[in-house]
Amino acid sequence: PLKEIKECLAFKRCTWKHLGAKRLLIDAAGGHGALALAFTASGQIEKAIVADIYKPRSFENLRAAWLDLDSISQEQTVRHEYTDLRKSGWLQA
């Protein structure tokens, strides 16, 4: 998904000064997680949750490529969680 990765990196560059450093990022409807991974790999955030009903195979590949960590640390840093954003209260779960 080269086009999507470029879009995520452009979004990250544009929002860097507005968001600053954070402890947690929730990438809602994040799919492959490129946005969460871009922020994490840059060191701007400590942890990220990719919230979506679908977890593409590319998520694991992108996470392994962008995070220079062992698999346990990768899961603790950026994880994908099944989340149906159409249901109320999804953020509280």
Side-chain angles (χ1 to χ4, degrees):
L2 183 59
K3 177 182 174 277
E4 290 147 348
I5 291 172
K6 287 181 179 182
E7 290 170 355
C8 290
L9 292 174
F11 178 80
K12 188 211 157 297
R13 277 192 305 273
C14 291
T15 59
W16 170 262
K17 61 183 173 189
H18 301 292
L19 293 177
K22 302 291 180 198
R23 293 185 63 199
L24 176 66
L25 173 85
I26 298 176
D27 189 354
H32 47 67
L35 188 59
L37 291 164
F39 278 91
T40 305
S42 72
Q44 188 175 352
I45 61 164
E46 294 177 26
K47 290 178 130 181
I49 298 171
V50 180
D52 206 329
I53 58 174
Y54 177 67
K55 179 181 175 182
R57 284 181 274 177
S58 60
F59 171 75
E60 299 292 343
N61 295 334
L62 287 172
R63 185 171 68 176
W66 286 24
L67 300 181
D68 188 24
L69 304 168
D70 61 63
S71 61
I72 294 171
S73 297
Q74 287 179 1
E75 179 66 25
Q76 292 171 347
T77 304
V78 179
R79 71 178 190 268
H80 202 290
E81 288 196 15
Y82 175 86
T83 306
D84 190 343
L85 302 176
R86 298 170 293 185
K87 295 184 177 181
S88 64
W90 67 268
L91 189 56
Q92 298 162 349

